[in-house]
């Protein structure tokens, strides 16, 4: 009874090799990812037991995606298959003052046809201890929103911890539902909030600033509005340019405010999936450490993800703990 359960779309990412644009390249590489699966694989790399639930194409691409998840010891036994193709996105990785750009091809993907009847949640959650959801999944279509709602209701009924990362992306909500209403309903079954003032303002229709004082007020307001929420964790990114960022994190656990020191990332290899790495670090940390160290672990996990190409954080627990110990010089290990 100790699995972390994640639910969401698995995507194939296609990018030109290096920092090239598609127009200047004849060669590309692919990775598998997707917000929730990124979280799941990262937790598995930290040593956790993880199950990912999705709807994947019933073809050799889908077989490859499942094989990829299995490589990281992620349980794929509750994944369902579809005759529609796997979702794809195209990424041009930026550098210095040139930003990265993304184009999605997921409107008619295998995951887009998922409905509650396709997932046996009672069986899927039978070994679950923790359920994680993000705002990406309910934004995609009515079927994924309804399927997720069934999952969080049953997860809470079973006494599982439910973490919410209610990422709001306005371009995804195209099926007639109001994002605030959908996310607010899901929040009623959530216990850990991984997000910041932007997400709280979106949920509560408030206008809190990014100061620490307003973050505390926003977190208190959120907990008052959704009493099941016990803790709030937020990452703060300072962008110098596309290749140089600084990361720190802060939290309100209902009792005290804490924040981490800032980590300097002076040469970014890949920014995709870094927020997912933070969420995975916090989830793993809360199961193994106190709240403050869990936040530190999440921030360090987020920082080291910037050094890996692809959507996934390949760091193990010791890699992250090494950063917490001050080993940020990148010196050879012999």
């Amino acid at each position: 009874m100790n699995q972390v359960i994640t639910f969401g779309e698995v995507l194939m990412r296609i990018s030109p090799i290096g920092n090239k644009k598609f127009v200047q390249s004849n060669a590309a590489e692919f990775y598998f990812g997707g917000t929730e699966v990124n979280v799941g694989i990262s937790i598995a790399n930290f040593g956790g037991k993880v199950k990912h639930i999705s709807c994947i194409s019933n073809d050799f691409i889908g077989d490859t995606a499942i094989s990829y998840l299995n490589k990281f010891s992620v349980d794929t036994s509750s994944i369902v298959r579809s005759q529609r193709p796997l979702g794809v996105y195209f990424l041009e990785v930026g550098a210095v003052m040139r930003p990265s750009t993304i184009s999605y091809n997921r409107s008619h993907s295998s995951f887009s046809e998922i409905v509650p009847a396709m997932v046996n949640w009672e069986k899927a959650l039978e070994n679950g201890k923790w359920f994680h959801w993000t705002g990406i999944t309910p934004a995609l279509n009515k079927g994924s929103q309804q399927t997720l709602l069934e999952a969080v209701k049953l997860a809470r009924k079973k006494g599982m911890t439910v973490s919410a990362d209610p990422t709001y992306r306005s371009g995804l909500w195209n099926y007639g539902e109001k994002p605030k209403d959908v996310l607010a309903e899901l929040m009623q079954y959530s216990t850990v909030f991984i997000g910041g003032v932007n997400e709280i303002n979106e949920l509560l229709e408030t206008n809190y600033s990014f100061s620490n004082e307003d973050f505390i007020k926003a977190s208190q307001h959120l907990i008052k509005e959704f009493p099941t929420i016990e803790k709030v964790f937020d990452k703060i990114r300072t962008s110098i340019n596309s290749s140089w960022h600084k990361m720190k994190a802060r939290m309100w656990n209902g009792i005290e405010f804490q924040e981490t020191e800032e980590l300097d990332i002076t040469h970014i290899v890949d920014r995709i999936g870094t927020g997912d790495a933070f969420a995975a670090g916090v989830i793993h940390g809360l199961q193994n450490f106190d709240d403050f160290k869990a936040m530190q672990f999440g921030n360090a996990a987020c920082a080291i993800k910037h050094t890996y190409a692809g959507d996934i954080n390949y760091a193990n627990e010791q890699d992250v703990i090494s950063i917490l110990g001050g080993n940020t010089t990148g010196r050879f290990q012999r």
Side-chain angles (χ1 to χ4, degrees), residues 204 218-232 252-254:
L204 303 182
S219 298
Q220 291 171 330
H221 190 168
L222 180 77
I223 292 169
K224 181 179 180 181
E225 187 73 22
F226 302 103
T228 58
I229 296 295
E230 301 167 356
K231 303 170 184 181
V232 180
W252 172 257
N253 64 1

Side-chain angles (χ1 to χ4, degrees), residues 25 27 50 85 112 114 142 150 153 156 162 170 172 174 199 225 239 241 245 248 250 254 263 288 313 316 322 330 334:
S25 178
V50 177
S112 71
I114 198 164
K142 186 69 174 177
E150 280 200 6
K153 284 181 175 179
R156 287 302 299 139
V162 177
S170 58
L172 292 178
N174 297 316
E199 289 75 23
E225 187 73 22
S239 299
N241 56 43
H245 292 181
K248 69 177 180 176
R250 57 188 176 180
L263 291 174
N288 293 277
N313 185 10
N316 60 34
S322 178
R334 298 182 187 273

Side-chain angles (χ1 to χ4, degrees), residues 30 44 53 124 178 182 214 250 302 321 323:
F30 73 89
I53 301 164
K178 292 179 64 176
V182 171
D214 262 23
R250 57 188 176 180
C302 174
I321 289 175
I323 293 174

Side-chain angles (χ1 to χ4, degrees), residues 274-285:
T274 54
D276 306 328
F278 175 73
V282 168
I283 292 167
H284 178 76

Side-chain angles (χ1 to χ4, degrees), residues 24 45 68 81 89 115 140 202 230 237 262 305:
Q24 68 179 130
N45 285 337
Y68 184 77
R81 308 299 291 269
Y89 78 96
V115 292
L140 296 175
E202 201 64 48
E230 301 167 356
R237 179 186 300 274
E262 199 168 51
K305 165 59 191 76

